[in-house]
Structures are given as C-alpha cells and as structure tokens.
Amino acid sequence: MPSYTVTVATGSQWFAGTDDYVYLSLEGTAGCSERHLLDKPFYNDFERGAVDSYDVTVEEDLGEIQLIKIEKRKYWYQDDWYLKYVTVKTPMGDYLEFPCYRWITDEKEIVLRDGRAKLSRDDKTHILKQHRRKELETRQKMYRWKEWHPGFPLSIDAHSHSDLPRDIQFDNEKGIDFILNYSKAMENLYVNRFMHMFQSSWSDFADFERIFVRISNTISEYVMQHWKEDFMFGYQFLNGCNPVLIRRCTEIPKKFPVTMDMVECSLERNLTLEEEVKQGNIFIVDYELLDGVDANKTDPCTIQYLAAPICLLYKNLENKIVPIAIQLGQKPGPDNPIFLPSDATYDWLLAKIWVRSSDFHIHQTVTHLLRTHLVSEVFSIAMFRQLPAVHPLFKLLVPHMRFTIAINTKAREQLICECGLFDKANATGGGGHVQMVQKAMKDLTYGSLCFPEEIKAKGMESKEDIPYYYYRDDGIKVWEAIKSFAEDVIHIYYESDDVVCEDVELQAFVKDIYVYGMRGVKASGFPKAIRTREKLAEYLTVIIFTTSAQHAAVNFGNSHHRANCGDAGGEGTAPLCSHVLSLWKMCPTAIRTTTVACAWCGVQTKQSHRSLCKHGL
C-alpha cells in the first residue's frame, strides 16, 4: 500500500500551537485519500515552532498530488492554530510543499495547493481552476472596500482592528512591542517632568535639553546645537523627514513678489535674481495646500493657527541650500511681509520656525499618511481580492504588505478619527487633516509615485547641480534595484506582452486599484489595464517602492526620534529639530501675546514675543 510522509510546521508566534484534533486528506489526479487523524501516541503534537512528521498510508496510488485538505476540530476548547506549511513526500520520493502561513480558527477546513507559482492559464485541471476561483471568491467576501471619508482613497471595510481577518491583524508579539516601545519612550522622555512643564510657560531652550536628557545621539546633539542656522534649515529640505517638497524654481511666482533688492545680500555670484533662477540656483517650497485649512478648534480654551508659507532657497558657492526669503501667507500684501535673513535675528528665526511647523503638518498628513499608508492599503486590498496565493505577483508583493491594513485600521480607530490623537495633539486636528488629504488627492497621481519621474518633474535630478540630495541618490538606486528584480520575475512567468494582456487576474488587480482605490479619477493617471511587460515592471516597482522604500524614507529616517518619542504605532512623527518651539501665530509687535506649541505633540502655552527674545529664541 502506498505511503506518503507528511510534515507539518507550526508557526513560532505566541500561541501558534494547538491541542485540537487535526485531520489531513490528500487529493490527487487519480483519486482522494480518506481523512487521516494526525496524531502520535504519547506525544504533544503541533506545539509552537514544532515540525511534526506523519506517515499516511492509502489503498492505492493517488497520482500527482494537487490539493491537501486540513481540518481542525475542537478538543476541549476552541484553540486557534497557525500553520506555516505542509510538505508531502510521495512514494516515488518526490517532495511537494504546500504553504499556508495563516491562522486556522474555529472548526473549519482549509484546502491548500502546492507552492509553485502559476498563472491562471497554467492550471489545466478542473480541480485547480475551481480551487483558484473559490479562493478569490472567499477573499472578496473578507476584503471589502469602504469609504472612510469622502474624497479619501477607499480603505478596508472594518470598524476596528479586531474586525479584520485574523491573518492580517497584528500578532501578539507586535502588539506587545507597541506597549513596550511606548513605555520605554515615556521613560526616556521623563514624561512626568515633560507634562509638568506644559502647565506653565517655558522660560528657556534649556528646558528642552532637560526633557531629552536621556537621548544620547551625536546627530540629535548636533541638530540641537545648529538648528537655528540657515544651512541646517535648508539641509532638512533635502534629507530631513520630508525631503519631497523642494523643487527647482523656474519662475518667481506672482504671489511671492521677491525682488532683487530684497535678496541681493544673500546672492554670492554677482548675478541678478532672474539670472540665478535661469542658472538653476534658486529653489522653492510652497505650502499652498495649507491655505484655507481650518485650524484645530476642538479645545475652546485654546486658539490655534496654521500658516501656508512660501520659502525661497538659494544654492550658495559651497553648494549648500539656504533660505533667502519667506512669506507666511499665500496672498502678498502689507499684512503679509516677506521675511529675509537681513531682518532682525528673531524675526527671521520665527519665520523659519513657522515654515518648519507647516512642513510638519504636510509631512505627517500628506507625505506619510496619504502617499504611503493609504496608497499602500489600496494596493494591499486589491492584491488580496484579485490575486490568488499561487499567483507569482501575489508571492512577489505580499511581503511588502505585512501589517499595512492593520496599522491603517489602528490609525483610523485611534489616531485620525474624531477625538483621536490628531484632534488632541495637532493644529490640523478637528478636521483640518481631513481637508488636507482631500485637497492633496488631486496631486496623487501615478506619475508622482514613479520616483525618477517625480524627481525629474521637480528639477532635482542633477547630482552635479545638487550634490547633497541623498534622498534622491539612494532612492534612485533602490528604485532601479526593485525594478530590475521585478523585470526578472516578470520574464520568468510572462513570455510576451500577450501573456500580460491575457492574465485576467492581473487585469482585475489593476482595475480594482483604479476604480476603487483611486475612485476612477482619470486625472490620477493610474492605468485601467496593463498591456506590456515593461509597463508591468514599472507598475510593480511603484507598488513595492511606495510600500517599502518610500515609507522608510519619510518615516524611518527619523528612527532615533521615533524610538525615543514613543510613537506606539511604530511610525515617525516630526523632524527632530522640530522639537524646538513652533509658533502657531506670529506676533507683529513686541508686546503681543502669541501661542507657542511643541511641533511634536501640539500642546500650547502662552508667551510674549519680548520674553521669547529675552530668553534666546
């Protein structure tokens, strides 16, 4: 009688093992086996991290094994089980691996096929075609689209993290990590002293040094020493937490009436401002998106403010980018002056702080939340809905989607929801962050997610002209490496462009992203279909780069900040030097009271312009 050796691997996650009964059936081209109980006498099967082997004897050869069925039935109480994979050694000595990598909950049966990647056209038997179809039908019931807010990309239909399919929830270890990281951060920050200091006005920047006394890092120390200087301010636009806004200025906008007389003392090449623009030495950062966004009004006792600055920068003879003019509003006029390095020291410093504060809001809500998290969730949902686990593109993409939907659901549940952390801590809370996303959607295009194309569109591609733009230099290398890998995978499974066109699952995946995720907006530039291998390689590179490298660039680049400031979600918050005071309202006179806030947590205190200057601001 033929005998098959079955090896079962249980996950190493906490509580991955089970005491339930586990049954296995083999289904081949020549027949099906009976249901076999996988159990060894006097042995605790399916413990966490275990790899257990069993002999399964059948009456006659089953032919080529195509599917295996795993059933879990309750022993004493319901005991979930995380199954990594099952391998089968046939009587002929062949090995087949059936990957699972998911939780088996309740008393249910799951059907697995071997792990070799196959396009739908490669499945020749009815049983495999039917399994493929049923898998997608089941997934589409589990992963449903939902509009969380009008104007947002569609997201997962789940009210809370616990509503998500078990396989994409945070595991216990990840959840504990959040709590431990938060606790460690609070300890590092001396949170009790920190919060106590907010009860009264800060009197000196030494207060911040006392808050961060446990942070020993040469970079943070350097920034704390040099944050006031123009070269550090300009450098952050290239390699800070939000290195995506700066662009080469080709024409001074009419709404920003900077003249040669204003900036002449800042220009070092004996050229006029217009000539400097033509030579490509002038750069601009425009926070127009913040214009008209409502400031946080959730606390009636605290008036909060937002600005929509425009900042002009200059590449000096040392190839450093430095600011030369700042206007804090979008409409020029007597009540909206242009601040210059030649102004009084603290007027110029306050203007730069205003820009840094506005940069924080754009960074968190648009660069980070919308353009990495929400977009990545669109890719993830479409992948689960339209690509079966055996599809080569599912295998390529799924490692980059881990915890994406879970962390976004947590964010909607605790962070950006009504009365969430944004409302409590940010000047854009109370609905302003929602307005920002809605306004930013018009600029969320497929082309803007193509890294080289976006860098070129901003005029920032030249390494010779802009030598210290490491975000660009590293990003291009990572982009090219990802694209090269994607091309290699594509050429294994798609012999021609015709095969790409005929892959109905791929086309459904692309259509899902366009129709639901991007709301079918033609101006977004997202393709409705993919017709060539070249375009497919670019499309996959956009997805992988956005979910991995781009997110890392705008989040983990400030990992030291994140580790010590305790963002429990594992996400970064603000540029380190933005921990210095940010002003929500510029005071035009020395005696007027202004509101001062920490750019990280948004808590405000009152302070007069005169006292700020006296204490070194």
Side-chain angles (χ1 to χ4, degrees):
M1 298 176 68
S3 179
Y4 295 82
T5 301
V6 175
T7 302
V8 180
T10 299
S12 57
Q13 299 94 322
W14 293 355
F15 314 112
T18 185
D19 290 324
D20 285 353
Y21 296 110
V22 174
Y23 298 88
L24 176 137
S25 303
L26 302 174
E27 188 167 349
T29 53
C32 302
S33 73
E34 295 181 353
R35 189 177 71 158
H36 290 262
L37 174 64
L38 301 182
D39 182 55
K40 297 177 184 178
F42 311 109
Y43 177 77
N44 197 353
D45 306 272
F46 314 119
E47 286 293 283
R48 173 189 174 195
V51 179
D52 304 312
S53 295
Y54 306 87
D55 291 327
V56 175
T57 302
V58 298
E59 295 183 356
E60 57 184 21
D61 186 75
L62 303 177
E64 182 182 349
I65 302 299
Q66 295 190 311
L67 301 174
I68 64 171
K69 295 181 181 179
I70 301 288
E71 298 178 58
K72 187 173 72 69
R73 295 292 179 254
K74 184 168 65 176
Y75 177 55
W76 288 109
Y77 59 91
Q78 197 61 56
D79 192 12
D80 295 345
W81 179 38
Y82 188 87
L83 174 60
K84 290 175 65 177
Y85 60 84
V86 176
T87 63
V88 176
K89 180 183 178 183
T90 70
M92 301 297 292
D94 297 326
Y95 281 89
L96 296 173
E97 183 167 338
F98 297 81
C100 181
Y101 294 96
R102 48 184 154 140
W103 289 94
I104 302 177
T105 60
D106 305 324
E107 294 186 301
K108 64 170 59 173
E109 172 188 279
I110 65 168
V111 181
L112 305 175
R113 62 179 290 177
D114 74 85
R116 291 172 293 182
K118 297 286 183 67
L119 297 175
S120 58
R121 73 171 195 154
D122 298 326
D123 287 339
K124 306 301 182 183
T125 64
H126 173 73
I127 186 173
L128 292 180
K129 292 179 179 179
Q130 185 182 42
H131 176 268
R132 198 176 192 114
R133 184 178 66 253
K134 285 186 175 180
E135 180 185 4
L136 289 181
E137 289 174 353
T138 301
R139 291 243 212 96
Q140 288 166 9
K141 292 176 182 177
M142 296 172 62
Y143 296 87
R144 302 175 303 275
W145 294 104
K146 178 183 178 181
E147 182 183 69
W148 184 73
H149 238 298
F152 275 52
L154 293 193
S155 53
I156 194 74
D157 184 7
H159 294 291
S160 64
H161 178 265
S162 60
D163 294 334
L164 295 173
R166 176 69 184 274
D167 294 317
I168 62 169
Q169 293 182 21
F170 291 138
D171 54 36
N172 292 294
E173 293 164 275
K174 184 74 171 179
I176 294 297
D177 280 345
F178 283 159
I179 297 173
L180 293 178
N181 286 341
Y182 183 81
S183 301
K184 179 182 177 181
M186 293 301 100
E187 178 187 0
N188 284 345
L189 285 177
Y190 281 152
V191 69
N192 290 334
R193 182 189 299 182
F194 187 49
M195 296 307 296
H196 174 74
M197 291 177 63
F198 281 122
Q199 306 304 315
S200 59
S201 297
W202 289 298
S203 58
D204 199 292
F205 273 98
D207 291 339
F208 284 92
E209 295 175 7
R210 287 193 291 271
I211 290 170
F212 301 112
V213 66
R214 294 194 181 187
I215 299 178
S216 56
N217 179 283
T218 55
I219 295 176
S220 64
E221 291 171 0
Y222 184 85
V223 172
M224 289 182 71
Q225 294 169 5
H226 297 280
W227 71 271
K228 299 179 186 179
E229 299 174 35
D230 286 354
F231 86 91
M232 177 61 70
F233 178 83
Y235 183 82
Q236 281 200 291
F237 287 113
L238 297 178
N239 300 302
C241 279
N242 194 30
V244 303
L245 296 183
I246 189 169
R247 61 172 60 242
R248 196 186 294 271
C249 182
T250 56
E251 182 181 7
I252 304 296
K254 293 181 180 179
K255 64 181 180 180
F256 192 23
V258 180
T259 64
M260 178 62 183
D261 291 340
M262 293 179 181
V263 298
E264 185 175 9
C265 61
S266 297
L267 307 182
E268 300 179 354
R269 294 179 175 84
N270 295 321
L271 301 175
T272 65
L273 178 59
E274 290 73 18
E275 290 170 337
E276 294 279 17
V277 170
K278 289 180 180 179
Q279 289 203 5
N281 297 322
I282 302 297
F283 301 84
I284 192 167
V285 181
D286 190 348
Y287 297 92
E288 183 179 13
L289 185 73
L290 283 164
D291 191 34
V293 172
D294 295 329
N296 195 334
K297 296 182 176 65
T298 55
D299 181 2
C301 299
T302 303
I303 301 176
Q304 301 188 46
Y305 302 88
L306 292 170
I310 309 172
C311 180
L312 205 65
L313 301 113
Y314 174 65
K315 185 184 72 172
N316 62 23
L317 292 175
E318 296 179 347
N319 282 328
K320 293 180 179 178
I321 305 293
V322 294
I324 59 173
I326 294 172
Q327 181 176 285
L328 295 180
Q330 292 289 309
K331 296 180 180 179
D335 58 345
N336 186 23
I338 294 175
F339 293 88
L340 307 167
S342 56
D343 288 341
T345 301
Y346 300 118
D347 288 345
W348 178 237
L349 183 59
L350 287 170
K352 290 191 294 181
I353 290 175
W354 256 109
V355 173
R356 187 60 59 213
S357 176
S358 299
D359 195 75
F360 161 72
H361 294 301
I362 297 291
H363 167 248
Q364 279 294 60
T365 305
V366 179
T367 307
H368 186 200
L369 174 63
L370 172 61
R371 297 183 69 89
T372 64
H373 277 260
L374 299 185
V375 171
S376 296
E377 183 175 4
V378 168
F379 299 147
S380 299
I381 298 171
M383 180 194 70
F384 282 115
R385 285 174 53 84
Q386 303 299 348
L387 299 179
V390 73
H391 198 290
L393 299 187
F394 181 91
K395 295 176 180 294
L396 175 66
L397 296 176
V398 71
H400 306 286
M401 307 299 186
R402 190 165 185 244
F403 297 142
T404 294
I405 298 175
I407 200 166
N408 286 6
T409 303
K410 280 282 190 180
R412 286 186 289 270
E413 188 179 358
Q414 301 175 2
L415 182 64
I416 60 176
C417 60
E418 187 175 357
C419 300
L421 185 59
F422 258 67
D423 284 1
K424 297 175 182 177
N426 273 336
T428 54
H433 59 296
V434 173
Q435 295 175 1
M436 290 173 67
V437 171
Q438 291 169 334
K439 293 176 68 175
M441 279 296 290
K442 72 177 187 301
D443 296 321
L444 179 59
T445 63
Y446 177 79
S448 71
L449 297 179
C450 293
F451 188 80
E453 185 177 327
E454 179 67 358
I455 291 293
K456 188 174 182 179
K458 287 182 166 65
M460 302 293 290
E461 72 275 16
S462 174
K463 293 184 180 181
E464 291 74 20
D465 291 344
I466 314 164
Y468 304 118
Y469 197 14
Y470 303 121
Y471 165 74
R472 171 205 60 209
D473 299 342
D474 295 345
I476 291 293
K477 291 178 180 178
V478 174
W479 173 275
E480 291 175 349
I482 293 172
K483 188 174 182 182
S484 175
F485 180 66
E487 288 172 342
D488 289 346
V489 172
I490 289 168
H491 281 79
I492 292 173
Y493 298 98
Y494 297 90
E495 303 96 50
S496 65
D497 292 343
D498 290 340
V499 181
V500 173
C501 295
E502 294 166 3
D503 186 352
V504 293
E505 292 166 342
L506 165 63
Q507 302 305 331
F509 167 65
V510 172
K511 184 177 180 181
D512 237 30
I513 291 173
Y514 172 75
V515 173
Y516 295 103
M518 295 300 116
R519 315 299 292 269
V521 178
K522 188 175 182 180
S524 71
F526 274 80
K528 301 178 184 178
I530 300 290
R531 301 300 181 194
T532 66
R533 292 188 294 178
E534 181 182 3
K535 190 66 176 179
L536 177 57
E538 180 188 76
Y539 196 83
L540 295 175
T541 305
V542 165
I543 294 173
I544 296 173
F545 186 87
T546 301
T547 56
S548 59
Q550 182 63 19
H551 178 263
V554 301
N555 178 64
F556 298 123
N558 207 16
S559 58
H560 178 77
H561 163 91
R562 184 183 68 262
N564 288 283
C565 294
D567 183 346
E571 302 299 314
T573 48
L576 184 60
C577 71
S578 287
H579 278 297
V580 301
L581 298 180
S582 295
L583 302 185
W584 299 121
K585 185 171 179 60
M586 178 73 69
C587 51
T589 66
I591 60 173
R592 185 168 179 174
T593 298
T594 190
T595 304
V596 183
C598 173
W600 165 50
C601 66
V603 178
Q604 288 97 26
T605 185
K606 294 292 184 180
Q607 189 68 282
S608 73
H609 191 176
R610 177 175 293 159
S611 61
L612 286 172
C613 294
K614 180 179 70 175
H615 291 290
L617 180 64

